[in-house]
Amino acid sequence: MTDSAGGGGPDAFSARIGRFRADDPLPLYLQLQGLIRDAIMKGVAAKGSGIPAERDLAVEYNISRITVRKAIEGLVEEGLLIRRRGAGTFVAGRVDKVFSKLSSFSEDMEARGRIASSRWISRSVGIVTPDEAMGLALSPGTQVMRFNRVRLADDEPMALEFTTIAPDCLDSVDDVDTSLYAALERTGHRPVRALQRLRAVPVGAQHARILEIDTGDPVLLIERCGFLPDGRVVEFTRSYYRGDAYDFVAEL
């Protein structure tokens, strides 16, 4: 059976993922979604690889750009594709974050064969705010250490972390390089358990720019209080995880 797509040589995207079939009754945007989805699931379109621009797919499949856009938007909503402003559309490399295990971002990425890094926004010492005081069970006027950074995996922005650490848990803000938990472990103050709250929120313009997503896109806000063996709170963190890059898993 012949296909109904337009042109495209042996190196074209359609040659790798397949073309429309003339006997397929589905709308064209669903057919294109199916072809791209199958290619992702079978590894033909690898994680992190780029998808041709809408205009190129429209020409290659002899369909309108509106049809292509509708197909791509559906796959973005499914979390299979991600859009990066100014760069294009890519196959998402999603990360499973397991809630039943207390681990750091660096440890999560290492377990998945990805290279974790940080881009610092600020490292500072200051007087605890009311929210921090409540989260850390500290008295007003107490000095705390703050670590605000962008977390990256293979140089791709994945999350924003705003962490406040109780006093006397680290010697200096400069003790933290890539992994905060590794620094806390060196001083004997690594959390052994945590209380976490998660909710989906629309991302603001400033955070969206840093995470390379669109303003209003959903992100996962996690508020964490980390506890020492004696019950003291050592860590209060607010993290914003890209909704197109993370699946959160809980063992019940």
Side-chain angles (χ1 to χ4, degrees):
M1 189 68 66
T2 59
D3 63 77
S4 59
D11 296 327
F13 189 65
S14 59
R16 293 195 289 121
I17 74 168
R19 298 179 171 87
F20 298 154
R21 297 184 65 88
D23 59 350
D24 194 330
L26 289 174
L28 293 177
Y29 82 93
L30 288 179
Q31 292 187 48
L32 182 57
Q33 275 186 4
L35 291 172
I36 297 175
R37 187 185 296 110
D38 287 346
I40 293 172
M41 297 305 180
K42 294 174 182 176
V44 175
K47 292 180 179 180
S49 63
I51 298 296
E54 289 179 3
R55 62 179 178 275
D56 296 330
L57 286 174
V59 170
E60 197 167 329
Y61 281 94
N62 193 26
I63 55 180
S64 71
R65 288 184 65 173
I66 293 175
T67 300
V68 174
R69 187 173 300 119
K70 191 172 183 180
I72 297 300
E73 285 175 350
L75 294 169
V76 170
E77 289 176 2
E78 290 180 32
L80 294 175
L81 296 179
I82 57 174
R83 286 193 175 106
R84 298 178 189 159
R85 272 189 313 184
T89 303
F90 298 83
V91 178
R94 298 182 70 86
V95 173
D96 284 347
K97 170 65 177 175
V98 180
F99 263 141
S100 57
K101 178 183 178 183
L102 182 56
S103 57
S104 69
F105 179 90
S106 300
E107 291 165 341
D108 290 340
M109 294 304 106
E110 182 180 356
R112 288 156 181 82
R114 305 186 69 172
I115 299 174
S117 60
S118 299
R119 189 162 65 230
W120 287 101
I121 299 172
S122 64
R123 285 182 279 192
S124 62
V125 176
I127 301 301
V128 67
T129 67
D131 279 352
E132 293 168 338
M134 183 174 296
L136 290 165
L138 294 175
S139 301
T142 303
Q143 279 202 332
V144 293
M145 295 183 184
R146 297 189 183 96
F147 303 91
N148 302 335
R149 53 192 175 158
V150 187
R151 306 309 309 270
L152 304 98
D154 299 333
D155 295 324
E156 179 184 358
M158 301 289 279
L160 282 169
E161 281 186 358
F162 301 92
T163 299
T164 306
I165 298 298
D168 304 325
C169 292
L170 293 170
D171 295 327
S172 165
V173 292
D174 296 325
D175 290 349
V176 179
D177 182 14
T178 299
S179 174
L180 171 64
Y181 274 22
L184 289 171
E185 188 165 14
R186 288 194 293 270
T187 64
H189 293 96
R190 178 178 173 133
V192 296
R193 65 182 182 88
L195 179 63
Q196 296 189 135
R197 175 181 295 174
L198 179 151
R199 66 181 184 273
V201 298
V203 68
Q206 183 178 6
H207 289 176
R209 187 165 53 253
I210 296 172
L211 291 173
E212 299 179 6
I213 56 179
D214 293 327
T215 301
D217 279 358
V219 293
L220 295 165
L221 169 60
I222 298 178
E223 296 178 329
R224 172 192 283 187
C225 290
F227 296 86
L228 297 175
D230 62 6
R232 285 182 296 154
V233 188
V234 63
E235 167 203 9
F236 176 64
T237 295
R238 282 195 177 103
S239 300
Y240 297 85
Y241 286 84
R242 284 174 49 167
D244 62 358
Y246 270 85
D247 288 322
F248 284 86
V249 180
E251 183 178 346
L252 303 175

PDB file of all heavy atoms in Angstrom, residues 6 10 13 16 28 38 55 57 74 83 91 103 120 136 141 147 163 170 180 190 194 216 219 229 237 242:
ATOM      1  N   GLY A   6       4.354  13.480   1.298  1.00  0.00           N
ATOM      2  CA  GLY A   6       5.004  14.158   0.197  1.00  0.00           C
ATOM      3  C   GLY A   6       6.384  13.598  -0.041  1.00  0.00           C
ATOM      4  O   GLY A   6       6.609  12.394   0.008  1.00  0.00           O
ATOM      5  N   PRO A  10      16.144   9.357   1.336  1.00  0.00           N
ATOM      6  CA  PRO A  10      16.446   8.272   2.282  1.00  0.00           C
ATOM      7  C   PRO A  10      16.902   8.759   3.652  1.00  0.00           C
ATOM      8  O   PRO A  10      16.817   8.021   4.627  1.00  0.00           O
ATOM      9  CB  PRO A  10      17.564   7.496   1.561  1.00  0.00           C
ATOM     10  CG  PRO A  10      18.142   8.468   0.568  1.00  0.00           C
ATOM     11  CD  PRO A  10      17.002   9.341   0.143  1.00  0.00           C
ATOM     12  N   PHE A  13      13.366  12.497   7.809  1.00  0.00           N
ATOM     13  CA  PHE A  13      12.766  12.031   9.058  1.00  0.00           C
ATOM     14  C   PHE A  13      11.697  10.977   8.780  1.00  0.00           C
ATOM     15  O   PHE A  13      11.613   9.959   9.472  1.00  0.00           O
ATOM     16  CB  PHE A  13      12.166  13.232   9.788  1.00  0.00           C
ATOM     17  CG  PHE A  13      11.695  12.938  11.184  1.00  0.00           C
ATOM     18  CD1 PHE A  13      12.594  12.575  12.183  1.00  0.00           C
ATOM     19  CD2 PHE A  13      10.353  13.028  11.510  1.00  0.00           C
ATOM     20  CE1 PHE A  13      12.165  12.311  13.481  1.00  0.00           C
ATOM     21  CE2 PHE A  13       9.909  12.776  12.806  1.00  0.00           C
ATOM     22  CZ  PHE A  13      10.818  12.407  13.790  1.00  0.00           C
ATOM     23  N   ARG A  16      12.819   7.454   8.370  1.00  0.00           N
ATOM     24  CA  ARG A  16      13.196   6.755   9.599  1.00  0.00           C
ATOM     25  C   ARG A  16      11.981   6.316  10.408  1.00  0.00           C
ATOM     26  O   ARG A  16      11.974   5.235  10.988  1.00  0.00           O
ATOM     27  CB  ARG A  16      14.099   7.647  10.468  1.00  0.00           C
ATOM     28  CG  ARG A  16      15.463   7.914   9.862  1.00  0.00           C
ATOM     29  CD  ARG A  16      16.424   8.461  10.896  1.00  0.00           C
ATOM     30  NE  ARG A  16      16.100   9.826  11.290  1.00  0.00           N
ATOM     31  CZ  ARG A  16      15.831  10.198  12.524  1.00  0.00           C
ATOM     32  NH1 ARG A  16      15.782   9.309  13.506  1.00  0.00           N
ATOM     33  NH2 ARG A  16      15.574  11.464  12.801  1.00  0.00           N
ATOM     34  N   LEU A  28      -5.075  13.084  10.026  1.00  0.00           N
ATOM     35  CA  LEU A  28      -3.641  13.138   9.744  1.00  0.00           C
ATOM     36  C   LEU A  28      -2.807  13.508  10.973  1.00  0.00           C
ATOM     37  O   LEU A  28      -1.694  13.001  11.141  1.00  0.00           O
ATOM     38  CB  LEU A  28      -3.380  14.127   8.605  1.00  0.00           C
ATOM     39  CG  LEU A  28      -3.933  13.711   7.235  1.00  0.00           C
ATOM     40  CD1 LEU A  28      -3.677  14.807   6.207  1.00  0.00           C
ATOM     41  CD2 LEU A  28      -3.327  12.397   6.774  1.00  0.00           C
ATOM     42  N   ASP A  38       5.531   5.974  18.144  1.00  0.00           N
ATOM     43  CA  ASP A  38       6.122   4.641  17.949  1.00  0.00           C
ATOM     44  C   ASP A  38       7.637   4.731  17.799  1.00  0.00           C
ATOM     45  O   ASP A  38       8.376   3.877  18.319  1.00  0.00           O
ATOM     46  CB  ASP A  38       5.521   3.973  16.700  1.00  0.00           C
ATOM     47  CG  ASP A  38       4.093   3.516  16.918  1.00  0.00           C
ATOM     48  OD1 ASP A  38       3.647   3.471  18.078  1.00  0.00           O
ATOM     49  OD2 ASP A  38       3.417   3.192  15.923  1.00  0.00           O
ATOM     50  N   ARG A  55       7.599  23.474   9.794  1.00  0.00           N
ATOM     51  CA  ARG A  55       7.513  23.737   8.353  1.00  0.00           C
ATOM     52  C   ARG A  55       8.135  22.595   7.542  1.00  0.00           C
ATOM     53  O   ARG A  55       7.641  22.255   6.461  1.00  0.00           O
ATOM     54  CB  ARG A  55       8.175  25.062   8.005  1.00  0.00           C
ATOM     55  CG  ARG A  55       9.663  25.128   8.311  1.00  0.00           C
ATOM     56  CD  ARG A  55      10.257  26.481   7.924  1.00  0.00           C
ATOM     57  NE  ARG A  55      11.664  26.564   8.265  1.00  0.00           N
ATOM     58  CZ  ARG A  55      12.111  26.920   9.466  1.00  0.00           C
ATOM     59  NH1 ARG A  55      11.252  27.222  10.422  1.00  0.00           N
ATOM     60  NH2 ARG A  55      13.415  26.977   9.706  1.00  0.00           N
ATOM     61  N   LEU A  57       8.349  19.368   8.555  1.00  0.00           N
ATOM     62  CA  LEU A  57       7.449  18.213   8.635  1.00  0.00           C
ATOM     63  C   LEU A  57       6.236  18.413   7.733  1.00  0.00           C
ATOM     64  O   LEU A  57       5.752  17.459   7.109  1.00  0.00           O
ATOM     65  CB  LEU A  57       7.003  18.000  10.085  1.00  0.00           C
ATOM     66  CG  LEU A  57       8.033  17.405  11.031  1.00  0.00           C
ATOM     67  CD1 LEU A  57       7.503  17.395  12.468  1.00  0.00           C
ATOM     68  CD2 LEU A  57       8.406  15.989  10.607  1.00  0.00           C
ATOM     69  N   GLY A  74       0.109  17.625  21.062  1.00  0.00           N
ATOM     70  CA  GLY A  74      -0.395  16.451  21.772  1.00  0.00           C
ATOM     71  C   GLY A  74       0.720  15.639  22.398  1.00  0.00           C
ATOM     72  O   GLY A  74       0.594  15.150  23.526  1.00  0.00           O
ATOM     73  N   ARG A  83       9.647  21.296  24.282  1.00  0.00           N
ATOM     74  CA  ARG A  83      10.044  22.450  23.488  1.00  0.00           C
ATOM     75  C   ARG A  83      11.055  23.262  24.271  1.00  0.00           C
ATOM     76  O   ARG A  83      10.861  23.543  25.451  1.00  0.00           O
ATOM     77  CB  ARG A  83       8.823  23.312  23.161  1.00  0.00           C
ATOM     78  CG  ARG A  83       7.905  22.725  22.095  1.00  0.00           C
ATOM     79  CD  ARG A  83       6.933  23.793  21.631  1.00  0.00           C
ATOM     80  NE  ARG A  83       6.107  23.337  20.532  1.00  0.00           N
ATOM     81  CZ  ARG A  83       4.827  23.017  20.632  1.00  0.00           C
ATOM     82  NH1 ARG A  83       4.224  23.098  21.805  1.00  0.00           N
ATOM     83  NH2 ARG A  83       4.147  22.638  19.575  1.00  0.00           N
ATOM     84  N   VAL A  91      13.003  15.016  21.771  1.00  0.00           N
ATOM     85  CA  VAL A  91      12.466  13.864  22.479  1.00  0.00           C
ATOM     86  C   VAL A  91      12.831  13.985  23.946  1.00  0.00           C
ATOM     87  O   VAL A  91      13.994  14.209  24.292  1.00  0.00           O
ATOM     88  CB  VAL A  91      13.026  12.546  21.898  1.00  0.00           C
ATOM     89  CG1 VAL A  91      12.491  11.348  22.674  1.00  0.00           C
ATOM     90  CG2 VAL A  91      12.678  12.415  20.423  1.00  0.00           C
ATOM     91  N   SER A 103      16.967  10.793  48.548  1.00  0.00           N
ATOM     92  CA  SER A 103      18.200  10.907  47.775  1.00  0.00           C
ATOM     93  C   SER A 103      18.319  12.310  47.220  1.00  0.00           C
ATOM     94  O   SER A 103      17.341  13.047  47.098  1.00  0.00           O
ATOM     95  CB  SER A 103      18.210   9.887  46.626  1.00  0.00           C
ATOM     96  OG  SER A 103      17.076  10.062  45.792  1.00  0.00           O
ATOM     97  N   TRP A 120      24.946  28.114  39.796  1.00  0.00           N
ATOM     98  CA  TRP A 120      24.605  28.832  41.008  1.00  0.00           C
ATOM     99  C   TRP A 120      23.882  30.130  40.706  1.00  0.00           C
ATOM    100  O   TRP A 120      24.279  30.889  39.817  1.00  0.00           O
ATOM    101  CB  TRP A 120      25.861  29.116  41.829  1.00  0.00           C
ATOM    102  CG  TRP A 120      26.407  27.902  42.497  1.00  0.00           C
ATOM    103  CD1 TRP A 120      27.468  27.147  42.105  1.00  0.00           C
ATOM    104  CD2 TRP A 120      25.888  27.284  43.673  1.00  0.00           C
ATOM    105  NE1 TRP A 120      27.644  26.091  42.967  1.00  0.00           N
ATOM    106  CE2 TRP A 120      26.692  26.150  43.936  1.00  0.00           C
ATOM    107  CE3 TRP A 120      24.825  27.580  44.520  1.00  0.00           C
ATOM    108  CZ2 TRP A 120      26.467  25.317  45.021  1.00  0.00           C
ATOM    109  CZ3 TRP A 120      24.588  26.746  45.600  1.00  0.00           C
ATOM    110  CH2 TRP A 120      25.403  25.629  45.845  1.00  0.00           C
ATOM    111  N   LEU A 136      12.176  25.217  59.562  1.00  0.00           N
ATOM    112  CA  LEU A 136      13.350  24.681  60.253  1.00  0.00           C
ATOM    113  C   LEU A 136      13.207  24.677  61.776  1.00  0.00           C
ATOM    114  O   LEU A 136      14.120  24.233  62.469  1.00  0.00           O
ATOM    115  CB  LEU A 136      14.584  25.497  59.873  1.00  0.00           C
ATOM    116  CG  LEU A 136      15.087  25.347  58.431  1.00  0.00           C
ATOM    117  CD1 LEU A 136      16.062  26.451  58.079  1.00  0.00           C
ATOM    118  CD2 LEU A 136      15.721  23.978  58.218  1.00  0.00           C
ATOM    119  N   GLY A 141      15.689  35.716  64.095  1.00  0.00           N
ATOM    120  CA  GLY A 141      17.018  36.285  64.277  1.00  0.00           C
ATOM    121  C   GLY A 141      18.154  35.299  64.066  1.00  0.00           C
ATOM    122  O   GLY A 141      19.312  35.696  64.025  1.00  0.00           O
ATOM    123  N   PHE A 147      21.202  28.248  49.652  1.00  0.00           N
ATOM    124  CA  PHE A 147      21.795  27.741  48.417  1.00  0.00           C
ATOM    125  C   PHE A 147      20.716  27.749  47.333  1.00  0.00           C
ATOM    126  O   PHE A 147      19.803  26.926  47.368  1.00  0.00           O
ATOM    127  CB  PHE A 147      22.350  26.335  48.619  1.00  0.00           C
ATOM    128  CG  PHE A 147      23.369  26.230  49.727  1.00  0.00           C
ATOM    129  CD1 PHE A 147      22.978  25.923  51.020  1.00  0.00           C
ATOM    130  CD2 PHE A 147      24.709  26.471  49.476  1.00  0.00           C
ATOM    131  CE1 PHE A 147      23.908  25.836  52.045  1.00  0.00           C
ATOM    132  CE2 PHE A 147      25.648  26.405  50.496  1.00  0.00           C
ATOM    133  CZ  PHE A 147      25.252  26.080  51.785  1.00  0.00           C
ATOM    134  N   THR A 163      17.301  26.237  48.764  1.00  0.00           N
ATOM    135  CA  THR A 163      17.511  25.466  49.990  1.00  0.00           C
ATOM    136  C   THR A 163      18.043  26.356  51.108  1.00  0.00           C
ATOM    137  O   THR A 163      18.950  27.176  50.893  1.00  0.00           O
ATOM    138  CB  THR A 163      18.506  24.318  49.741  1.00  0.00           C
ATOM    139  OG1 THR A 163      17.970  23.441  48.753  1.00  0.00           O
ATOM    140  CG2 THR A 163      18.749  23.527  51.022  1.00  0.00           C
ATOM    141  N   LEU A 170      27.081  23.215  58.413  1.00  0.00           N
ATOM    142  CA  LEU A 170      28.185  23.341  57.476  1.00  0.00           C
ATOM    143  C   LEU A 170      29.118  24.436  57.992  1.00  0.00           C
ATOM    144  O   LEU A 170      28.683  25.365  58.673  1.00  0.00           O
ATOM    145  CB  LEU A 170      27.682  23.714  56.076  1.00  0.00           C
ATOM    146  CG  LEU A 170      26.838  22.680  55.329  1.00  0.00           C
ATOM    147  CD1 LEU A 170      26.224  23.315  54.079  1.00  0.00           C
ATOM    148  CD2 LEU A 170      27.672  21.469  54.945  1.00  0.00           C
ATOM    149  N   LEU A 180      24.716  18.944  47.725  1.00  0.00           N
ATOM    150  CA  LEU A 180      24.505  19.443  49.088  1.00  0.00           C
ATOM    151  C   LEU A 180      24.536  18.296  50.086  1.00  0.00           C
ATOM    152  O   LEU A 180      25.129  18.411  51.167  1.00  0.00           O
ATOM    153  CB  LEU A 180      23.170  20.182  49.172  1.00  0.00           C
ATOM    154  CG  LEU A 180      22.695  20.583  50.562  1.00  0.00           C
ATOM    155  CD1 LEU A 180      23.651  21.600  51.185  1.00  0.00           C
ATOM    156  CD2 LEU A 180      21.283  21.145  50.511  1.00  0.00           C
ATOM    157  N   ARG A 190      23.725  14.802  57.363  1.00  0.00           N
ATOM    158  CA  ARG A 190      22.859  14.417  56.246  1.00  0.00           C
ATOM    159  C   ARG A 190      21.493  13.983  56.778  1.00  0.00           C
ATOM    160  O   ARG A 190      21.412  13.205  57.728  1.00  0.00           O
ATOM    161  CB  ARG A 190      23.484  13.276  55.447  1.00  0.00           C
ATOM    162  CG  ARG A 190      22.581  12.819  54.299  1.00  0.00           C
ATOM    163  CD  ARG A 190      23.202  11.725  53.470  1.00  0.00           C
ATOM    164  NE  ARG A 190      22.228  11.223  52.507  1.00  0.00           N
ATOM    165  CZ  ARG A 190      22.473  11.032  51.225  1.00  0.00           C
ATOM    166  NH1 ARG A 190      23.670  11.290  50.750  1.00  0.00           N
ATOM    167  NH2 ARG A 190      21.530  10.561  50.416  1.00  0.00           N
ATOM    168  N   ALA A 194      12.545  12.649  55.548  1.00  0.00           N
ATOM    169  CA  ALA A 194      12.050  13.949  55.109  1.00  0.00           C
ATOM    170  C   ALA A 194      10.538  13.931  55.020  1.00  0.00           C
ATOM    171  O   ALA A 194       9.911  12.880  54.818  1.00  0.00           O
ATOM    172  CB  ALA A 194      12.654  14.321  53.755  1.00  0.00           C
ATOM    173  N   GLY A 216       3.925  29.840  32.244  1.00  0.00           N
ATOM    174  CA  GLY A 216       2.634  29.186  32.422  1.00  0.00           C
ATOM    175  C   GLY A 216       2.671  27.677  32.285  1.00  0.00           C
ATOM    176  O   GLY A 216       1.701  27.002  32.640  1.00  0.00           O
ATOM    177  N   VAL A 219       4.901  23.117  36.356  1.00  0.00           N
ATOM    178  CA  VAL A 219       6.075  22.593  37.040  1.00  0.00           C
ATOM    179  C   VAL A 219       5.612  21.947  38.337  1.00  0.00           C
ATOM    180  O   VAL A 219       4.510  22.223  38.830  1.00  0.00           O
ATOM    181  CB  VAL A 219       7.118  23.686  37.337  1.00  0.00           C
ATOM    182  CG1 VAL A 219       7.733  24.219  36.068  1.00  0.00           C
ATOM    183  CG2 VAL A 219       6.516  24.823  38.154  1.00  0.00           C
ATOM    184  N   PRO A 229      18.761  12.287  62.671  1.00  0.00           N
ATOM    185  CA  PRO A 229      18.302  11.155  63.499  1.00  0.00           C
ATOM    186  C   PRO A 229      17.659  11.578  64.810  1.00  0.00           C
ATOM    187  O   PRO A 229      16.759  10.890  65.312  1.00  0.00           O
ATOM    188  CB  PRO A 229      19.582  10.352  63.736  1.00  0.00           C
ATOM    189  CG  PRO A 229      20.441  10.653  62.551  1.00  0.00           C
ATOM    190  CD  PRO A 229      20.160  12.095  62.225  1.00  0.00           C
ATOM    191  N   THR A 237      13.720  23.042  51.783  1.00  0.00           N
ATOM    192  CA  THR A 237      13.957  23.247  50.356  1.00  0.00           C
ATOM    193  C   THR A 237      12.648  23.421  49.604  1.00  0.00           C
ATOM    194  O   THR A 237      11.689  22.675  49.819  1.00  0.00           O
ATOM    195  CB  THR A 237      14.720  22.054  49.747  1.00  0.00           C
ATOM    196  OG1 THR A 237      16.028  21.977  50.322  1.00  0.00           O
ATOM    197  CG2 THR A 237      14.876  22.203  48.238  1.00  0.00           C
ATOM    198  N   ARG A 242      10.776  20.580  36.289  1.00  0.00           N
ATOM    199  CA  ARG A 242      10.086  20.658  35.002  1.00  0.00           C
ATOM    200  C   ARG A 242       9.090  19.510  34.866  1.00  0.00           C
ATOM    201  O   ARG A 242       9.448  18.343  34.979  1.00  0.00           O
ATOM    202  CB  ARG A 242      11.098  20.600  33.867  1.00  0.00           C
ATOM    203  CG  ARG A 242      11.844  21.892  33.666  1.00  0.00           C
ATOM    204  CD  ARG A 242      12.934  21.783  32.646  1.00  0.00           C
ATOM    205  NE  ARG A 242      12.483  21.162  31.400  1.00  0.00           N
ATOM    206  CZ  ARG A 242      13.191  21.189  30.285  1.00  0.00           C
ATOM    207  NH1 ARG A 242      14.358  21.795  30.265  1.00  0.00           N
ATOM    208  NH2 ARG A 242      12.747  20.619  29.195  1.00  0.00           N
TER     209      ARG A 242
END
